[in-house]
Amino acid sequence: MLREKSYIPFVFSPDQVDEILKNLQMNIRKTNPHLFLADLAAYNALLMTARCGMRISEPLGLKDKDFRTDLLCACKGPASKGLVYRAFHRAVKDAGIKRTKQNAGNTTFGHTRVHSFRHSFAVNTLKDACERGLPPENVLPVLAAYMGHSDYRYTMKYLKVIDAEHFGGWADFCIFKRDREGA
């Protein structure tokens, strides 16, 4: 039973994550060293978000002491949030995955956004663990600690969207049914 005004975050399937990361990599500009390093920084920030479940502020908040400075000599400062968001949205568009926020009854289905990588990491990790026969009650506390949740019950919310591949169909069905009933 979903609570009043529930929110279902957008979740990418593992294949969609791979496709977006491939598009990000292909969009790295190689003609200008400054543009190359800026695009590479955006790619790496999004890669850490997608593969490690980080919040986007975490890779963007890394300092010079966190890197090998000999690899960053031509880069002036960290990647900007704007650059990262533009790279993300272009890669999502190139993959043909973009979805807008939609409402059906008391449920809001989230849109594609950078934070969707974090949701996707959690859901797909839980799904993979369940497919390998691990009970969610054993996986949730470990995943919660890894993701920095103060209580594993926050991580439990991902169980409601554990079937990431069917998210779009579920949202489309609910929206279609709402529109049809309203007509």
Side-chain angles (χ1 to χ4, degrees), residues 65-84:
K65 65 180 178 58
D66 300 318
F67 294 97
R68 285 185 46 198
T69 53
D70 59 318
L71 298 176
L72 298 174
C73 58
C75 191
K76 295 184 168 114
S80 72
K81 258 189 180 177
L83 175 70
V84 170

Side-chain angles (χ1 to χ4, degrees), residues 9 52-55 58 115 118-123 126 139-159:
C52 303
M54 294 176 134
R55 295 172 185 91
E58 294 168 335
H115 201 72
R118 183 169 165 83
H119 295 304
S120 301
F121 174 82
V123 168
L126 279 170
V139 177
L140 283 170
V142 175
L143 184 60
Y146 175 81
M147 295 188 74
H149 293 162
S150 58
D151 188 325
Y152 78 92
R153 286 177 286 195
Y154 297 122
T155 315
M156 282 177 46
K157 293 177 183 181
Y158 290 117
L159 289 173

Side-chain angles (χ1 to χ4, degrees), residues 1-8 103-108 157 160:
M1 187 76 157
L2 293 174
R3 65 182 171 86
E4 187 73 22
K5 295 186 179 180
S6 71
Y7 177 79
I8 309 289
N103 294 307
N106 69 346
T107 303
T108 300
K157 293 177 183 181
K160 68 183 174 186

Side-chain angles (χ1 to χ4, degrees), residues 8 14 35 43 46 52 63 69 72-73 90 99-100 132-134 141 145 148 152-153 164-165 167 178 181-182:
I8 309 289
L35 295 176
Y43 169 76
L46 290 164
C52 303
K63 306 291 182 217
T69 53
L72 298 174
C73 58
R90 179 177 176 194
R99 178 180 290 278
T100 59
R132 290 186 288 127
L134 298 171
Y152 78 92
R153 286 177 286 195
E165 285 82 5
F167 172 86
R178 179 205 62 199
E181 289 172 353

